[in-house]
């Protein structure tokens, strides 16, 4: 048997009873003959509680010290799970991100993994032990504790799976897998059996919160097979695999929505080479993630540039753009937080014309105004009013219901 990496999120380890349940799941995997690594998040809302505690003693918590504080949440989880496994008669060893060999850059709060040196993890597996690893954290080249941002435990799990050559990385969550839309918004949404890395990456980037975007990127680069499954049921979940493992490409595979967007417009920008580089370079330097970009037609040598950013970063974007506007002689900066994004994703869009027309026709018939449009080869995204986001998601899902149902039943390529 090979190596299995299992990741359990905060809801899966929210209290002592759930930690005991996770320990039984892990023990059963080991009893089946697998070598097991387990990555865990902080318990329940522990990270939020620590953030609130930091805010109670500091108006502007220092990033390094905040990372040191937040990393404690996962340390509690790994120790408790290891204790529970010992009580079940299994040899287990808990490891912090640094002890597991996870090295990152120095960006506190949103660090990126640079390399994984899994010698201590590999040694534990050779000795027949279960390695319990703290998610969400690592160590910078300056030997400072860093954290990977929200959902970072997913990336930890995939990175460990790649480093130890795991057969599969199982992501246990509080849902049964990846659905054709958020079932809380679209009750008719169905679970997808399989998705390609590219489809899952677009879904994650478009608002589907089942997996962190960076974890999917890492899985795609390193060819890690990922299985999203429930901590509370025994279902098969959803497999995230390479294109070569899918018997066919679905025209559409899912509808995602994101209500945490803000639209930013920089008015009266001089239409000349290099101006856009100043604007978006300043945002990049400030760590602001820019999504959809639209530049209007130039009039009298000036134009408006509109784009979207995460709503939580809109204040920072506004401050940066105010400085950039003065530098380039642009007009006012307008920030509109009352918007949301709806996206249709499917690898088969590449070879099936008419998908965009059908999506826009459905939205138009429902009286939903589209403010911005962005596309990739397998995604169409629209910015609409925040009040219309959930209705737009339902409308688009209804318009492609048959294709989405077909996609949900896709199978893997038969072994040769």
């Amino acid at each position: 048997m090979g190596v299995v990496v299992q990741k359990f999120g905060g809801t899966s380890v929210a209290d002592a009873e759930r930690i005991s349940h996770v320990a039984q799941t892990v023990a059963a995997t080991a009893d089946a003959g697998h070598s097991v690594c387990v990555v865990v998040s902080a318990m329940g809302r522990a990270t939020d509680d620590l953030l609130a505690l930091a805010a109670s003693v500091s108006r502007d918590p220092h990033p390094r010290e905040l990372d040191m504080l937040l990393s404690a949440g996962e340390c509690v989880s790994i120790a408790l799970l290891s204790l529970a496994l010992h009580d079940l008669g299994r040899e287990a060893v808990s490891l912090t991100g640094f002890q597991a060999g996870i090295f990152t850059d120095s960006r506190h709060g949103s660090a990126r993994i640079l390399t994984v040196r899994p010698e201590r993890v590999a040694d534990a597996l050779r000795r027949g032990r279960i390695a319990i690893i703290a998610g969400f954290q690592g160590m910078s080249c300056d030997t400072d504790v860093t954290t990977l941002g929200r959902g970072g435990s997913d990336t930890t799990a995939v990175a460990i799976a790649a480093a130890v050559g795991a057969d599969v990385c199982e992501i246990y969550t509080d849902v049964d897998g990846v659905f054709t839309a958020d079932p809380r918004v679209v009750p008719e949404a169905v679970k997808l059996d399989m998705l390609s890395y590219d489809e899952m990456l677009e879904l994650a980037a478009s608002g589907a919160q089942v997996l962190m975007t960076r974890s999917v990127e890492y899985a795609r680069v390193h060819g890690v097979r990922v299985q999203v499954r429930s901590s509370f049921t025994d279902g098969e979940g959803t497999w995230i695999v390479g294109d070569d493992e899918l018997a066919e490409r679905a025209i559409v595979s899912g509808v995602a929505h994101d209500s945490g967007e803000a639209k930013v417009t920089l008015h009266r920008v001089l239409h000349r080479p290099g101006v856009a580089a100043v604007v978006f370079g300043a945002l990049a330097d400030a760590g602001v993630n820019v999504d959809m970009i639209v530049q209007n037609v130039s009039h009298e040598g000036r134009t408006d540039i509109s784009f979207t950013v995460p709503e939580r970063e809109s204040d920072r974007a506004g401050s940066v753009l105010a400085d950039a506007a003065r530098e380039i002689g642009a007009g006012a900066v307008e920030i509109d937080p009352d918007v949301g994004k709806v996206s249709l994703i499917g690898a088969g869009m590449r070879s099936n014309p008419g998908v965009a027309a059908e999506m826009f026709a459905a939205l138009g018939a429902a009286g939903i105004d589209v403010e911005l449009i962005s596309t990739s080869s397998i995604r169409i995204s629209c910015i609409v009013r925040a009040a219309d986001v959930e209705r737009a998601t339902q409308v688009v899902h209804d318009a492609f219901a048959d294709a989405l149902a077909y996609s949900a039943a896709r199978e893997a390529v038969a072994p040769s």
Side-chain angles (χ1 to χ4, degrees), residues 201-386:
L201 187 58
E202 292 284 12
L203 282 167
S206 299
Q209 298 180 6
V210 179
L211 286 176
M212 184 188 186
T213 304
R214 268 192 269 170
S215 70
V216 186
E217 291 174 341
Y218 209 105
R220 181 177 62 175
V221 169
H222 295 277
V224 176
R225 300 178 86 245
V226 177
Q227 187 182 21
V228 181
R229 57 193 309 182
S230 172
S231 296
F232 309 111
T233 64
D234 295 327
E236 182 72 7
T238 302
W239 285 91
I240 316 299
V241 297
D243 278 339
D244 57 340
E245 291 192 60
L246 289 169
E248 59 186 313
R249 289 180 175 176
I251 297 175
V252 292
S253 53
V255 182
H257 73 282
D258 188 351
S259 299
E261 296 269 308
K263 184 175 74 171
V264 181
T265 302
L266 183 56
H267 293 281
R268 295 187 54 75
V269 179
L270 283 171
H271 193 188
R272 68 185 184 197
V275 169
V278 172
V279 172
F280 293 107
L283 291 166
D285 290 343
V288 176
N289 291 307
V290 176
D291 186 9
M292 305 166 67
I293 304 173
V294 173
Q295 180 170 314
N296 296 329
V297 176
S298 175
H299 293 288
E300 300 178 350
R302 289 184 179 268
T303 185
D304 293 344
I305 300 177
S306 295
F307 53 91
T308 59
V309 299
E311 187 176 358
R312 65 182 179 277
E313 298 178 4
S314 60
D315 288 344
R316 186 163 17 127
S319 176
V320 169
L321 288 174
D323 293 338
R326 286 191 291 269
E327 179 181 346
I328 62 177
V333 177
E334 180 184 354
I335 298 178
D336 181 3
D338 193 29
V339 299
K341 180 172 65 176
V342 177
S343 303
L344 180 66
I345 292 95
M349 288 185 189
R350 296 187 180 106
S351 55
N352 287 272
V355 174
E358 188 174 350
M359 178 178 179
F360 298 143
L363 291 170
I368 297 172
D369 184 40
V370 175
E371 299 186 12
L372 296 178
I373 299 169
S374 175
T375 65
S376 73
S377 60
I378 67 168
R379 173 188 50 79
I380 304 166
S381 294
C382 300
I383 292 295
V384 301
R385 291 284 91 195

Side-chain angles (χ1 to χ4, degrees), residues 38-185:
V38 184
V39 174
V40 291
S41 300
M43 297 172 64
R45 294 182 55 84
T47 300
D48 290 335
D49 292 342
L50 290 171
L51 283 168
L53 191 60
S56 71
V57 300
S58 172
R59 290 188 301 273
D60 184 19
H62 190 281
R64 180 191 181 278
E65 305 310 326
L66 190 60
D67 271 1
M68 182 70 78
L69 173 67
L70 296 183
S71 67
E74 279 69 24
C75 292
V76 171
S77 296
I78 60 173
L80 289 173
L81 181 56
S82 184
L83 289 170
L85 282 164
H86 278 285
D87 260 26
L88 293 176
R90 309 307 192 282
E91 286 291 323
V93 57
S94 60
L95 302 169
T96 66
F98 169 65
Q99 289 173 323
I102 297 172
F103 291 89
T104 75
D105 62 20
S106 298
R107 182 177 292 180
H108 289 288
S110 59
R112 287 184 174 270
I113 295 175
L114 300 177
T115 188
V116 180
R117 301 171 188 166
E119 289 83 4
R120 193 160 180 183
V121 176
D123 180 67
L125 298 181
R126 280 194 299 269
R127 295 170 179 264
R129 295 174 176 171
I130 298 169
I132 314 295
I133 300 163
F136 177 66
Q137 63 179 247
M139 186 73 72
S140 74
C141 296
D142 300 324
T143 67
D144 283 332
V145 172
T146 55
T147 63
L148 308 182
R150 288 289 186 179
S153 293
D154 291 348
T155 307
T156 301
V158 173
I160 289 292
V164 301
D167 294 336
V168 62
C169 178
E170 298 177 345
I171 306 291
Y172 285 85
T173 73
D174 54 359
V175 296
D176 291 335
V178 183
F179 284 71
T180 53
D182 187 337
R184 295 169 298 183
V185 174

Side-chain angles (χ1 to χ4, degrees), residues 10-48:
T11 55
S12 300
V13 293
D15 53 37
E17 182 180 354
R18 290 188 178 182
I19 289 173
S20 296
H21 177 73
V22 167
Q24 291 166 7
T25 300
V26 172
T29 305
D31 290 346
H34 300 286
S35 297
V36 186
C37 296
V38 184
V39 174
V40 291
S41 300
M43 297 172 64
R45 294 182 55 84
T47 300
D48 290 335

